[in-house]
Amino acid sequence: MTRLSMHEQLPFDEDATASPISTGDLPQAEEVRAVVTEAYERYRSNGDGEVADYIPVLAQASPDWFGISVVGARGKSFEIGDVAVTFSIQSVSKPFVFALVCEALGYGEARRRLGVNSTGFPFDSLMAVELNTDRTMNPLVNAGALAATSLAPGATAQEKWELIRQGMSRFAGRELSVDEQVYASESATNLRNQGIAHLLESYGRLYFDPDEATDIYTRQCSLDVSVHDLAVMAATLANGGVNPVTGDVVVGRGVCRRVLAVMATAGLYELSGDWLYEVGMPGKSGVSGGIVTVAPGKGGLATFSPPLDPAGNSVRGQLATKYLAERLGLNLFASVAASRDRGTS
Ligand code: GLU
């Protein structure tokens, strides 16, 4: 485990540093509104991708649904399309549950228990568990996510579930509840996740009863959200862990930046590298068609559109987010040459 000890927490108190934000603001409101509208008009008629059906009830989603929401770090929202439709959050829950676990355990301990590297395998891979001796590689694929859920504070399944539901609700700024139809449909078909949980238990990498942990995870994935809820949740991660709409301090800023790092590494399934290459921001997608993207210090972006690419990422969502990233100047890796006659360094 020497490999991990190299990566202990930073040797200084990051909360004492004066200016932890490396980026500026979103453009002016009119410009954001115009660009959100352009992104919607550009991609609304795209017909690529397939609606997920491995959880039977998800197949009922309309392939035409498309919504975009942007929430700035000061709480202002810009949205268009199917913003009133609600859907199960699915994998988009994973970074937020990881954040809650980091907050409870400390992000160093959370990394030791869950890992923060990508697997290169599909989200529900058992091979990834077998081939990597750490067993859980990161909390954004099912193995690590089941382990993260199992680490939620609480002595009973009910206590763990309430902590997760309440924490997710604080990220969203409203009380979230389970879509019972999705929960029933996924519970009846999630043998693979049950298998992953039992396999992890056999390796000592699950931290609660495997059947109960899978059940809590399934509830967490069935929480009913709108694209606006997702954008507020993303904006909370963009705002040092403070919900910009309610002012609630949901997680610390040290937790926040670690969560974003894992999202950048593993947020879009096996295509996370392609995503970072093109969008240049941490994101997380889910099989019901949601994607959250975080522009640190600036705001949260969310898209919702059910047709998915073969890896499980919303097709329209990826296109719209790439467009927004480019037009709003959000790519974290972008720079222009500094003027030589200004500043000292
Ligand atoms: N609840 C889903 C599963 O475990 C989430 C998958 C996803 O959105 O990637 O299969």
Side-chain angles (χ1 to χ4, degrees):
M1 291 272 97
T2 44
R3 187 167 60 76
L4 283 183
S5 61
M6 255 166 37
H7 303 301
E8 289 309 315
Q9 299 182 8
L10 296 175
F12 55 86
D13 176 6
E14 66 192 7
D15 288 331
T17 47
S19 177
I21 296 172
S22 59
T23 60
D25 291 312
L26 284 179
Q28 293 299 316
E30 310 76 67
E31 192 180 337
V32 179
R33 194 167 293 117
V35 172
V36 166
T37 307
E38 279 165 36
Y40 178 76
E41 295 299 342
R42 250 179 124 90
Y43 300 116
R44 63 188 297 190
S45 54
N46 182 295
D48 298 337
E50 300 292 331
V51 175
D53 59 4
Y54 79 99
I55 299 171
V57 77
L58 294 186
Q60 294 171 11
S62 165
D64 296 329
W65 281 335
F66 184 30
I68 303 176
S69 178
V70 174
V71 172
R74 292 182 190 79
K76 210 173 201 152
S77 31
F78 309 87
E79 37 213 29
I80 191 162
D82 292 307
V83 289
V85 175
T86 61
F87 51 95
S88 55
I89 188 169
Q90 297 300 338
S91 268
V92 178
S93 63
K94 291 170 179 168
F96 300 98
V97 170
F98 177 54
L100 297 171
V101 167
C102 285
E103 189 67 14
L105 267 66
Y107 48 78
E109 181 63 12
R111 169 163 62 181
R112 272 187 286 281
R113 302 266 197 127
L114 301 169
V116 294
N117 289 306
S118 61
T119 68
F121 286 96
F123 69 94
D124 58 353
S125 174
L126 285 122
M127 285 300 275
V129 178
E130 287 298 320
L131 293 176
N132 291 295
T133 52
D134 286 342
R135 310 305 170 192
T136 54
M137 292 298 287
N138 73 68
L140 304 190
V141 292
N142 288 12
L146 285 156
T149 297
S150 79
L151 281 175
T156 63
Q158 187 56 27
E159 279 175 28
K160 284 179 186 286
W161 165 240
E162 263 311 302
L163 185 125
I164 290 174
R165 194 193 63 76
Q166 284 171 15
M168 302 280 278
S169 298
R170 291 174 64 196
F171 270 112
R174 74 173 182 96
E175 282 297 310
L176 299 179
S177 57
V178 162
D179 179 328
E180 294 293 342
Q181 216 195 341
V182 174
Y183 170 63
S185 182
E186 186 166 348
S187 295
T189 52
N190 66 355
L191 284 167
R192 193 173 177 90
N193 286 340
Q194 293 173 35
I196 292 172
H198 281 271
L199 185 61
L200 289 178
E201 187 193 31
S202 78
Y203 287 123
R205 289 289 270 183
L206 198 82
Y207 309 101
F208 197 58
D209 174 80
D211 295 320
E212 290 192 301
T214 309
D215 181 61
I216 304 167
Y217 166 83
T218 308
R219 283 176 201 272
Q220 144 199 338
C221 290
S222 306
L223 282 169
D224 197 37
V225 292
S226 67
V227 70
H228 173 75
D229 293 327
L230 292 187
V232 175
M233 295 173 86
T236 303
L237 290 180
N239 192 39
V242 179
N243 183 315
V245 178
T246 62
D248 189 6
V249 182
V250 185
V251 293
R253 69 192 201 200
V255 165
C256 216
R257 65 193 236 194
R258 271 73 185 188
V259 172
L260 297 184
V262 182
M263 288 167 72
T265 306
L268 274 87
Y269 306 113
E270 309 90 285
L271 302 181
S272 300
D274 286 299
W275 171 263
L276 203 56
Y277 198 84
E278 293 187 41
V279 172
M281 281 184 284
K284 182 72 197 92
S285 62
V287 291
S288 50
I291 303 182
V292 291
T293 309
V294 179
K298 293 184 176 176
L301 280 56
T303 56
F304 165 59
S305 180
L308 309 176
D309 69 14
N313 304 304
S314 166
V315 173
R316 285 194 198 98
Q318 291 178 83
L319 293 168
T321 307
K322 282 175 199 170
Y323 187 78
L324 293 171
E326 209 55 49
R327 291 292 311 280
L328 298 175
L330 303 179
N331 189 319
L332 291 168
F333 305 118
S335 61
V336 290
S339 154
R340 285 179 169 266
D341 27 277
R342 209 167 28 86
T344 53
S345 54

